Amino acid sequence: MPKVSEQHKVAMRERIQHAALACVAEKGFSNVSMGDIIAEAGLSAGAVYVYYRGKEELIVDVGRRVFAERMAALEGLGGQESVPPPEQAIVALMTGLLQMDFFPGVAVQVWGEAVRNDRLGEVARSILVQIRGAY
């Protein structure tokens, strides 16, 4: 049996994450099931569960992906010749959210879920520490 490349694994995770984002944007976090995500991804349940044990693990990964994209935008602002004032940085970050290929309310839903889910709460706290450090 041929070995699956790291590139293939990354592509499959991104495909599943994108499907999760689309489902959450359409139905809301609490109304989405793994079955919905599996159908949206166009994969078998077995294929999805190779990469994610469940919805919580998947949503944590999606949250990290969204955060990494926003941190990259923030770091790009810091690389300019003169650092923009905070109000310009916030506008740039929010504009970037609107340009992403999913409804930006998904980020708010994940943050809201972090209040009641300890694992997501830990991720949210680490994200806030990193954002504070970047500013």
Side-chain angles (χ1 to χ4, degrees):
M1 179 182 229
K3 187 175 179 179
V4 176
S5 72
E6 192 60 36
Q7 184 178 14
H8 176 76
K9 290 178 187 178
V10 168
M12 289 299 288
R13 282 182 165 275
E14 287 178 359
R15 178 176 176 178
I16 297 164
Q17 290 170 12
H18 187 74
L21 286 168
C23 289
V24 171
E26 181 183 332
K27 295 184 174 187
F29 182 87
S30 56
N31 294 325
V32 170
S33 69
M34 282 301 285
D36 295 329
I37 295 167
I38 290 164
E40 180 70 25
L43 299 169
S44 70
V48 171
Y49 284 109
V50 164
Y51 297 96
Y52 293 102
R53 285 178 270 168
K55 182 173 143 180
E56 178 183 315
E57 183 179 343
L58 174 55
I59 295 303
V60 167
D61 236 17
V62 167
R64 286 186 179 129
R65 173 183 165 186
V66 170
F67 167 66
E69 291 171 1
R70 296 298 79 225
M71 279 303 294
L74 186 59
E75 289 167 357
L77 290 171
Q80 295 178 2
E81 194 169 305
S82 63
V83 178
E87 64 270 10
Q88 287 180 2
I90 290 170
V91 168
L93 289 173
M94 299 318 286
T95 301
L97 273 177
L98 295 173
Q99 294 170 351
M100 296 177 85
D101 61 352
F102 70 94
F103 181 69
V106 171
V108 174
Q109 290 183 57
V110 173
W111 281 105
E113 187 66 19
V115 171
R116 36 181 238 143
N117 181 304
D118 291 339
R119 187 158 176 226
L120 283 173
E122 289 173 25
V123 171
R125 282 186 290 283
S126 73
I127 288 169
L128 289 173
V129 166
Q130 290 181 14
I131 289 173
R132 197 172 316 139
Y135 273 111

